[in-house]
Structures are given as structure tokens and as C-alpha cells.
Amino acid sequence: MPPPPTDPELADELVATVRRFVEREVLPSVAALEAADRYPEDLVAGLHDLGLFGATIPVEYGGLGLDTVTYARIVEELSAGWMSLSGVVNTHLIVAALLRLHGTAAQRERWLPLLAAGDVRAALSLSEPDAGSDTRALRCAARRDGDEYVLDGTKLWVTNGERSGLVALAARAPEGVTCFLVEKEPGQRSGGITVTRRIDKLGYRGVETVEMAYTGHRVPADAVLGGPGASGGLGRGLPFILGALELGRVNVAARGVGVARAAFETAIRYAQERRTFGVPIARHQAIAFKLADMATRVEAARLLVRSAAERLDRGERADVEAGMAKLFASEAAMDNAEEAMRVLGGYGYTTDAPVERLYRDAPLLVIGEGTNEIQRIVIARRLLERYAVDG
């Protein structure tokens, strides 16, 4: 069932609260945290206090029960302050969506209240060293042994991997790719799970991105998302996960709106303060045209995100719309970050301004949650299905 619409006044109040949190807590500390690549414990505690770990989890499980449109607005605000914060929440809520849509009653009752409260953090583990966008090449194996499955394999690009207490893991069982709900203790090691390395990145700092190895790790048979029975989730992991990633792509697209907006707002403020030839540079047509194009990208990206979010809120498939939003918004973030650097000139290239951080963060959006090249393939295929010509 799709979430009920969020009351417009409540939605506006929540978005305004998040904006104030960003202004008061995030912006004054982001430069130091990002430069040190340090996990933002205090800011994550603030996300917890705001209830954002339960943003889209139904009220009956202790969550806020927000619709996707409101959630996307919140992600935009977080990303306009520091994109990494939205990453802390994203995979957590993708796993919550997997549980809500495909979990057994027992799985939902056990995990959703813990995720909603933020007492347990969740991670999604799909990609592998030799299987990124090619999800059907997964090698992580799940072998049945009595009432348990034994997991062996290596996973890459796991956000929240070290601090998570629950991992939604894609592994190849005899019946096909299956999603397992793997319980673990936060830390470097937990049973047969090891965080083998932390991955250094160009941008998207502060949030952990790790490689994880599963070596003979045992989970009970009821850890299969949807249950291990004939009508359960065995062999259905890929459609489960790829469907939930539509929410993830809306998140990434909303991040793109936030980054593009931050770049535009930085540029337009500076362009009114910096003067050359006796006037603010915003008065020069070359700069004015850049500002017009940047603002247009932000607005267009925001509308695409809203379209995809509304479709999800109606309970409809949104692979095309979420893909279009992710494609356009991520490219808008890249373009606006570069144009902001051009507007600010040498100042934009220094760490004194936020533009260089935005310039390093934006590329992740182009390759994360399915590269933009993959998005174009998916969009084109679905469009050909929708507009098929007889004969």
C-alpha cells in the first residue's frame, strides 16, 4: 500500500525544521567535518532526533509515515547543506521499503520499529567488485545447510556498512538471486562478516563507504526477505531490490536538486557582491545568462523529482520517471557546480567557498544508484514498450 498523503501544513513545517537544522548545525561544521573525512556523529544524532530514520516508515511501526514527495523535499534540504547526510538516511530507508513491501509479517514487526526509531541502522548490499550495474553477474553465494544459509562473497560500495545492524544482502541461492536480512553487530567484524576496507573517495566524505566480506556466515532460513517458503522470496531478490531502488533514485535525484540549488544560490549571492568595471558581475550578460540557466535547471529538476515521487505515492511503477529525474537532476548538479565555479572564479576553486565541495560531490550522483548510461538504457526500453508500434 502506498503511503497516505502528508498534510501540506505538516509537510511545510517539517521541511522548514530541517532547513533550520541545516542552517544552525550543518553549515557551520561541514567544512571541518568534510576536510577531515570524519563521520558526523553529532549531526547524525540530530537526524535521529528529527525522526528522519523513520521518515517513510508507516506510523503503525513508529515512523513518520511521510509520503515520497515530502521525503524528497527533506532530502533536497539536507543535500543543499551537505550531501553526505542524505546518504546516511537513503540506504536505511531503501531497506525499510523492502521490508514494508516484501517482508513477512514477522519481519516487519521485528525490524520496522527498530529502523523507525533509529535504534538499528540498515545498509543495502548489492554491488560486487565484478558486478556493478550488471546485477545478474552476482557471485556472492548462499548455500542451504539444514535450517540455515551459509553466505560467502565480497560486497563493494556499502554505505553504512560498518555502523549498520541490518544488511539487506543480495546473494545467489540455488533458486536464484535472493535478498537476505542479515543481522550484525556494528563494527569491523561480526560473526563471519568483516569490513575489509574503507574506500577513500573524491567527494561524498564523512559517510562511510566500505567493502565487506562474508566468510561462512550463517543466517537462519527465515532471514530470506519474504520468507523461505514456496510463495516467499527465494529467487526473487533482484525484482524486490530493483523495485525499491526507485525510491533510492528519487533520493539521488532530490540530492541533485539540493546540490544544484546550493551551487546556484552561492553563485547568485557572490555575483551581486563581486564588482568589476564599476558594477556587480551579475549585471554582465555573460554572468546573468549563467544564473538564468542554473535557476532553470534547479526548477526543472525539482519538478521531475516531484513527478516521480507522486507516481510512487500513487502506488504506480516509476522506473521511467525516477530514472528521468535521477538522470536530469544529477546532470544539473554537475553543470551547476561547474558554472558556480566559473562565476566565483579563483575564489570558487579554494576551500574557502563551498563550490569546490559541491564540484567533488556532484559526480557521485551521475554514477550512484545506476549510472546515467544505465538510466538512459532503462528509460529508452520502457519508452519503446509504452509507444510500441504494431507490426
Side-chain angles (χ1 to χ4, degrees), residues 4 25 31 43 47 58 70 74 78 83 144 146 150 154 157 162 171 185 196 264 289 300 324 348:
E25 305 295 333
L43 297 182
L47 300 182
T70 305
I74 287 171
L78 290 175
M83 193 184 77
R144 185 72 183 252
V150 182
T154 300
W157 314 118
E162 186 174 346
E185 292 294 327
T196 47
F264 163 70
F289 280 9
M324 287 179 170

Side-chain angles (χ1 to χ4, degrees), residues 99-112:
L99 280 159
R100 177 174 57 84
L101 295 170
H102 306 296
T104 64
Q107 289 168 345
R108 293 195 299 269
E109 291 292 337
R110 180 185 180 192
W111 289 113
L112 285 178

Side-chain angles (χ1 to χ4, degrees), residues 20 49 61 81 89 112 123 125 127 148 153-154 165 187 190 201 215-216 274 281 304 310 328:
R20 287 193 296 269
D49 293 343
Y61 295 105
V89 175
L112 285 178
S125 195
S127 295
E148 297 179 317
T154 300
S190 179
K201 308 179 295 293
T215 308
R274 176 79 166 97
I281 63 172
L304 280 168
E310 287 176 342
F328 187 88

Side-chain angles (χ1 to χ4, degrees), residues 279-295:
V279 297
I281 63 172
R283 299 294 181 185
H284 299 311
Q285 190 177 74
I287 301 299
F289 280 9
K290 289 183 184 297
L291 296 174
D293 287 343
M294 293 170 74

Side-chain angles (χ1 to χ4, degrees), residues 32-92:
L33 287 168
E34 206 267 350
D37 198 8
R38 187 167 69 247
Y39 189 79
E41 297 281 2
D42 292 342
L43 297 182
V44 173
L47 300 182
H48 177 278
D49 293 343
L50 290 170
L52 296 188
F53 286 104
T56 58
I57 297 175
V59 173
E60 58 264 35
Y61 295 105
L64 296 180
L66 302 179
D67 60 21
T68 313
V69 170
T70 305
Y71 172 56
R73 292 176 63 192
I74 287 171
V75 171
E76 177 187 334
E77 295 299 330
L78 290 175
S79 300
W82 188 20
M83 193 184 77
S84 294
L85 289 178
S86 62
V88 174
V89 175
N90 182 34
T91 53
H92 177 90

Side-chain angles (χ1 to χ4, degrees), residues 210-223:
V210 301
E211 178 184 85
M212 298 174 67
Y214 292 79
T215 308
H217 185 73
R218 291 179 174 270
V219 296
D222 62 9

